Amino acid sequence: MTASPLAPCVDHLVVLAADLASGVAWCERTLGITPTAGGEHPLMGTHNRIFNVSGPTHPRAYLEIIAINKGAAPAIPESASRWFDMDDAALRQQVAQHGPQLIHWVASVPDVAERCAALVARDIERGAIVTASRPTPNGLLQWQITVRDDGLRLMDGCLPTLIQWGDVHPCSSLPASGVQLQQLALQHPQAATLQAACEAVGVANSVAITPGNTPRLTAQLSTPRGPVTLSSFTPQE
């Protein structure tokens, strides 16, 4: 019997690091765990480490620490940019100066083409739907993901990238890490637009959306070191 598709939900948080070594060190220092799983993305010339943050509030979620793989050139056209604004000079400088940072989130949907069409109807172009895969010791990971040629996250990272997984999800083989996502909050000057977009995707009830002058993602996590808050906002020193 084929399982019914899961409802739209928070799939994973995206933390950008200048390189994976600094990302792992940040994770150990901030969250009290060492991420071990991960892989390479030949299409984008990036690689990552991931770990499970599933819990009662978000039952199938993980955190991704991602960095440019300096030993691999991306397979995308020269006119295109890497996903998640990873080629944005200002963002890269901010990470270089302040360290790894929460920059984005990805929403899992059972029908990515339909959800993209719903966004287009609201004049939001989430990007082309790209098919990708990655072999793992526990089976082949296959997914479809929205990627814009310009690499933009949209709405300062508050509007999620959309992903539709194949038969296997990363959390199926990720052990409990001791870290759980309790809440993901989104603050943005265009909160009403963001709310309508998240409703179109089907994830408005999975996140807290509030208006504010400064765009910001805030993730509340329980960790072996107690509650930890990750924020995309870095005060200027």
Side-chain angles (χ1 to χ4, degrees):
M1 179 181 295
T2 302
S4 59
L6 296 177
C9 62
V10 176
D11 189 75
H12 67 275
L13 307 177
V14 180
V15 170
L16 178 61
D19 55 71
L20 283 188
S22 65
V24 170
W26 166 86
C27 188
E28 293 172 338
R29 182 174 63 251
T30 306
L31 303 178
I33 66 165
T34 300
T36 56
E40 299 186 1
H41 313 116
L43 179 64
M44 293 291 162
T46 60
H47 52 180
N48 68 3
R49 295 287 183 271
I50 64 175
F51 56 92
N52 203 329
V53 296
S54 302
T57 307
H58 300 282
R60 196 179 77 160
Y62 65 94
L63 187 147
E64 171 185 43
I65 301 170
I66 192 167
I68 291 175
N69 186 351
K70 297 176 182 177
I76 55 176
E78 291 185 4
S79 59
S81 299
R82 291 179 176 90
W83 46 24
F84 308 150
D85 276 320
M86 292 180 68
D87 288 322
D88 180 77
L91 181 60
R92 289 169 68 168
Q93 176 60 34
Q94 185 172 334
V95 169
Q97 181 177 355
H98 297 285
Q101 184 177 22
L102 175 66
I103 63 164
H104 194 36
W105 66 292
V106 178
S108 175
V109 296
D111 46 7
V112 65
E114 292 183 23
R115 306 293 170 159
C116 283
L119 290 177
V120 169
R122 289 161 176 77
D123 296 322
I124 298 173
E125 180 51 65
R126 183 55 279 182
I129 300 171
V130 176
T131 299
S133 65
R134 177 167 64 83
T136 77
N138 297 291
L140 185 68
L141 284 179
Q142 296 176 300
W143 65 94
Q144 294 177 289
I145 188 169
T146 55
V147 180
R148 290 172 57 101
D149 284 343
D150 57 16
L152 290 180
R153 293 166 290 162
L154 296 184
M155 299 194 75
D156 306 280
C158 290
L159 183 70
T161 287
L162 306 184
I163 193 167
Q164 180 177 342
W165 290 98
D167 294 334
V168 181
H169 187 273
C171 286
S172 300
S173 58
L174 286 177
S177 66
V179 177
Q180 292 186 350
L181 174 61
Q182 302 298 321
Q183 183 189 58
L184 177 61
L186 313 173
Q187 174 182 293
H188 201 275
Q190 297 175 295
T193 300
L194 179 60
Q195 177 76 32
C198 286
E199 288 174 356
V201 172
V203 293
N205 293 331
S206 299
V207 294
I209 301 173
T210 58
N213 293 331
T214 302
R216 186 180 307 173
L217 293 84
T218 304
Q220 301 285 348
L221 303 168
S222 59
T223 81
R225 295 183 174 176
V228 171
T229 299
L230 302 182
S231 177
S232 63
F233 175 66
T234 302
Q236 296 298 314
E237 298 179 352

